[in-house]
Amino acid sequence: MKMSKMFVQTMRENPADAEVVSHKLLARAGYIRKLTSGVYNYLPLMWRVLRKVENIVREEMDRAGAQELLMPFVQPKELWEQSGRWEVYGKELMRLKDRHNREMCLGPTHEEIITSIARDGLKSYKQLPVNLYQIQSKFRDEVRPRFGLLRGREFIMKDAYSFDTSEEGLDREYQNMAETYKKIFDRCGLPTKMVQSDSGAIGGSVSHEFMVITDTDAGENDVFYCEDCDYSANSNHAVSKLPPKQTDGGYPEKKIIDTPNTFSIEELSEFLNIPASVILKDLVYIIDKKPVMALIRADKEVEETKLMNAIGGNDIRIATAPEIEEIMINHGFNAAKGFIGVEGMDDIPVIADESVREMKNFVVGINQQDKHLVGANLSDVRIDKFADIRLVEAGEFCPQCGKPLKVTRGIEVGNIFKLGTKYSKPMNAVYLDQNGKTQPYIMGCYGIGISRTAAAAVEAHHDEFGIKLPISIAPYHVVIVPVNIKDDLQMKVGEEIYSKLMSANVEAVFDDRDERAGVKFKDADLIGFPFRITVGKTINEGLVEYKVRETGEQTTVTPDKAVEDIICRVNNALSNKE
Ligand code: ATP
Ligand code: MG
């Protein structure tokens, strides 16, 4: 490829809305261009990267025994009604109507479609197990599309779905996919951590996420992990043992006392001179449009996904102050939200965190302004259900081995789920077993964000000058820069190097632009060619300058030496397929 013909416009400035480095660099280096919120054009450089990621995914999925197909992007409402998700999938589901007023949606994921395909095609146990996958655009109308390709509304995903006749079969395929994912991300130059996670809108019982660990804002997930054993989990699923803490308020008797102006836990604990761990905190959430009260030890926080799962809901948010006031008034109380309690709120479900069980003689709100009940015990508080709804904190103890947990941030690039019969049962997707009896398929599903993986790779591989993608997924391998395009010898040697590399299947770009060398070098670094060969004045002594982007290492060598080294390194990197 001649640089003068290449469709790439590099920019000096970052896009105004770019918050993370992959978004900034991919835009500045001319890989992507935003079309509208959360929707991007993948320009030629990006498309080369995406295709390379896709091909790695394809090779490993095929090797693992899966088969590729392609399902439609637009899906009919009827299938979503069969699975029961039309009602419960939130606003991320982009719904639309065709000219006949038939309702459809843009595929955010494809469980319904694949289950209908299996239902029509996999009728006998003899045809199972099967794992089918596709690589395709998805659309999710995300509340907050951000971070460029990391959280788009339209994005590319590989989604695979397995069909088995037994739980053991599913376990085997789950393990097979976990190993395959590790190979895929390793080949993309991305070390990942496999962590336990919540199953979310996809559903099912067991799931793991593949996280790229980062210390930047791009990591939207908190990952708790133990250095002494293999425990690691997304915060939405993590559990811990609590360090010992005072949980007995020590009040000799139960009574209502004045606690003027104690609107917050801090104010209350200061006023009473007690630790927050002997105060029972009462929070109101709106789950699927209905209020729910959550009780937790006041030194701890509620984890919303856990709370939502405890109720079996699909959508959760904390109630606003006006909503809480309204609830108070509707129940005949007139107090600020800091004084709320479960008393008299008989129609509102109350979920208490497991840690509350330990509390004794504690302090709790009773819907009376400027008053609290002290010396309360569990029998004084209506609790409908105990569940683990607590957000884990670093320093609490590992549930497996008891050592202190650490926290870090992660970008979720892949996710595997054991679905069981969550889709096959309601959709009546069955096969005939050995005894001629119909049985629902035991399913698993396995996703990889192709575009997110590419962006995460930029998060992991860059420096202040630009992108440093590994050879396996860089758009090209090498750029050859003649310093002065009017110098015949420089151009001739440059062209020779170019054709030698090309005939060895090295993807080379010849920077034949009539630009200053400094400009070409800047672009080379920004775009991130893993290797650069500069043909300048030293060519009169038969030497070129050879630079390795990854290490910054720069040497003056003969053209043949540089070519040989690049061919060797590229072949090494690409043969790393096991
Ligand atoms: P998240 O929690 O980040 O919103 P998710 O858990 O809802 O993602 P899955 O349904 O597990 O996503 O989708 C499989 C994979 O698709 C994810 O692991 C991720 O790599 C990718 N993905 C999901 N949502 C997006 C998005 N908005 N933009 C880019 N990639 C995405
Ligand atoms: Mg996920």
Side-chain angles (χ1 to χ4, degrees):
M1 170 56 73
K2 296 277 158 70
M3 193 83 162
S4 58
K5 294 282 178 292
M6 199 155 118
F7 186 86
V8 57
Q9 291 84 39
T10 55
M11 295 186 296
R12 290 234 179 100
E13 302 295 323
N14 292 317
D17 63 344
E19 297 167 76
V20 297
V21 76
S22 61
H23 186 185
K24 289 178 189 167
L25 288 177
L26 288 172
R28 268 178 48 207
Y31 282 57
I32 58 171
R33 179 161 306 146
K34 181 162 147 183
L35 181 61
T36 179
S37 167
V39 181
Y40 289 84
N41 291 298
Y42 307 123
L43 300 178
L45 287 175
M46 190 73 227
W47 188 235
R48 289 181 72 93
V49 175
L50 291 172
R51 273 183 9 231
K52 289 185 182 187
V53 175
E54 285 183 11
N55 281 335
I56 290 173
V57 169
R58 236 178 225 120
E59 281 179 21
E60 295 300 338
M61 289 300 292
D62 290 349
R63 189 171 295 170
Q67 298 171 60
E68 186 173 1
L69 47 55
L70 185 60
M71 292 176 268
F73 178 51
V74 176
Q75 311 183 0
K77 172 187 174 186
E78 289 68 32
L79 285 178
W80 284 72
E81 283 179 329
Q82 289 174 21
S83 72
R85 281 208 296 185
W86 186 258
E87 291 302 323
V88 300
Y89 211 104
K91 290 192 176 151
E92 273 87 57
L93 187 64
M94 184 85 169
R95 298 159 209 250
L96 50 141
K97 282 185 184 159
D98 71 8
R99 66 203 299 163
H100 306 294
N101 234 9
R102 283 190 289 245
E103 291 187 271
M104 332 271 278
C105 64
L106 300 183
T109 174
H110 279 70
E111 282 78 11
E112 282 76 5
I113 315 304
I114 199 81
T115 306
S116 79
I117 292 176
R119 182 169 66 184
D120 292 341
L122 300 172
K123 308 243 184 213
S124 157
Y125 72 95
K126 290 183 195 150
Q127 296 169 282
L128 298 169
V130 167
N131 187 338
L132 300 169
Y133 77 97
Q134 66 172 346
I135 296 177
Q136 209 222 33
S137 291
K138 298 276 188 261
F139 195 95
R140 294 183 184 176
D141 201 358
E142 299 271 352
V143 220
R144 270 219 295 169
R146 56 182 188 159
F147 300 164
L149 300 191
L150 287 175
R151 182 167 298 283
R153 292 198 297 161
E154 183 176 312
F155 57 95
I156 304 176
M157 198 203 284
K158 184 283 302 182
D159 42 329
Y161 306 87
S162 68
F163 300 87
D164 262 283
T165 56
S166 66
E167 289 292 337
E168 297 72 53
L170 170 60
D171 291 350
R172 264 197 306 277
E173 189 55 15
Y174 193 80
Q175 189 56 33
N176 181 23
M177 285 295 110
E179 284 159 20
T180 301
Y181 273 35
K182 184 171 181 323
K183 284 185 204 151
I184 289 171
F185 294 122
D186 282 352
R187 283 183 61 187
C188 293
L190 272 181
T192 49
K193 215 177 180 48
M194 176 169 146
V195 313
Q196 298 176 14
S197 69
D198 173 63
S199 305
I202 308 280
S205 54
V206 174
S207 72
H208 286 85
E209 288 163 344
F210 286 76
M211 295 283 186
V212 174
I213 300 304
T214 170
D215 54 7
T216 69
D217 287 344
E220 293 187 273
N221 301 271
D222 282 333
V223 174
F224 290 93
Y225 66 99
C226 176
E227 277 178 338
D228 290 271
C229 72
D230 62 355
Y231 182 76
S232 60
N234 189 320
S235 57
N236 64 22
H237 196 76
V239 294
S240 67
K241 291 183 197 149
L242 287 173
K245 199 80 192 248
Q246 182 188 338
T247 51
D248 186 340
Y251 291 94
E253 55 169 338
K254 186 168 77 174
K255 62 175 176 189
I256 297 172
I257 61 164
D258 289 333
T259 55
N261 301 319
T262 53
F263 297 98
S264 67
I265 297 296
E266 293 72 41
E267 287 164 335
L268 182 60
S269 96
E270 197 171 304
F271 181 84
L272 294 174
N273 196 21
I274 49 162
S277 54
V278 301
I279 301 173
L280 184 63
K281 179 161 67 174
D282 198 324
L283 297 158
V284 183
Y285 285 87
I286 307 294
I287 301 183
D288 295 347
K289 306 203 174 98
K290 294 198 195 83
V292 170
M293 291 178 123
L295 304 182
I296 190 157
R297 228 172 74 180
D299 60 327
K300 295 290 153 196
E301 301 296 330
V302 166
E303 210 299 316
E304 294 191 357
T305 305
K306 288 186 180 180
L307 173 61
M308 185 170 74
N309 290 345
I311 290 278
N314 288 295
D315 181 56
I316 184 167
R317 62 178 177 80
I318 188 114
T320 61
E323 281 171 334
I324 295 177
E325 259 167 47
E326 198 187 317
I327 290 171
M328 291 265 211
I329 290 166
N330 289 345
H331 290 79
F333 301 116
N334 183 17
K337 82 174 197 199
F339 301 92
I340 196 166
V342 302
E343 207 152 294
M345 303 279 190
D346 296 343
D347 56 331
I348 302 182
V350 179
I351 306 272
D353 182 59
E354 292 290 352
S355 63
V356 172
R357 288 186 199 270
E358 308 289 311
M359 296 176 74
K360 289 193 180 69
N361 307 311
F362 51 80
V363 178
V364 64
I366 40 165
N367 298 318
Q368 292 184 34
Q369 182 74 24
D370 293 339
K371 291 190 194 305
H372 277 88
L373 179 66
V374 302
N377 280 290
L378 284 185
S379 53
D380 301 314
V381 184
R382 177 176 64 89
I383 293 172
D384 297 317
K385 183 176 175 182
F386 282 94
D388 172 21
I389 56 169
R390 177 172 57 83
L391 178 66
V392 168
E393 279 177 82
E396 292 170 2
F397 301 131
C398 173
Q400 284 182 182
C401 76
K403 296 281 164 39
L405 288 173
K406 300 216 148 149
V407 67
T408 182
R409 281 195 274 183
I411 304 170
E412 178 199 326
V413 285
N415 204 176
I416 56 179
F417 301 83
K418 287 188 188 172
L419 295 174
T421 56
K422 179 173 158 83
Y423 294 90
S424 49
K425 262 204 183 136
M427 293 186 69
N428 195 25
V430 297
Y431 65 94
L432 288 179
D433 70 9
Q434 276 113 314
N435 307 316
K437 252 185 79 185
T438 58
Q439 302 283 1
Y441 313 117
I442 316 281
M443 291 173 56
C445 83
Y446 318 91
I448 289 182
I450 302 285
S451 42
R452 185 183 282 181
T453 297
V458 175
E459 291 288 332
H461 302 281
H462 68 270
D463 61 14
E464 75 243 61
F465 306 112
I467 294 171
K468 293 202 317 192
L469 284 175
I471 295 167
S472 61
I473 59 170
Y476 290 93
H477 302 139
V478 53
V479 63
I480 299 133
V481 184
V483 171
N484 177 3
I485 63 161
K486 307 216 167 67
D487 182 310
D488 290 344
L489 183 60
Q490 289 184 20
M491 288 301 273
K492 183 172 149 282
V493 174
E495 302 257 14
E496 277 167 16
I497 295 173
Y498 176 72
S499 50
K500 274 188 194 156
L501 287 168
M502 290 295 278
S503 51
N505 288 328
V506 173
E507 297 166 12
V509 171
F510 187 58
D511 195 347
D512 58 340
R513 293 175 301 167
D514 189 8
E515 288 281 0
R516 281 183 298 116
V519 170
K520 297 188 188 184
F521 294 163
K522 272 217 168 86
D523 281 349
D525 281 350
L526 180 59
I527 292 170
F529 297 96
F531 306 103
R532 188 181 86 202
I533 298 178
T534 309
V535 191
K537 284 194 185 129
T538 54
I539 198 58
N540 297 317
E541 289 106 62
L543 296 171
V544 294
E545 185 193 279
Y546 170 43
K547 185 178 169 193
V548 180
R549 178 82 177 89
E550 175 57 29
T551 55
E553 158 199 358
Q554 207 161 310
T555 46
T556 307
V557 295
T558 60
D560 281 350
K561 179 85 179 49
V563 166
E564 196 184 308
D565 193 65
I566 290 172
I567 293 175
C568 173
R569 291 197 201 216
V570 168
N571 284 343
N572 265 344
L574 299 186
S575 69
N576 180 24
K577 297 179 184 173
E578 197 187 329

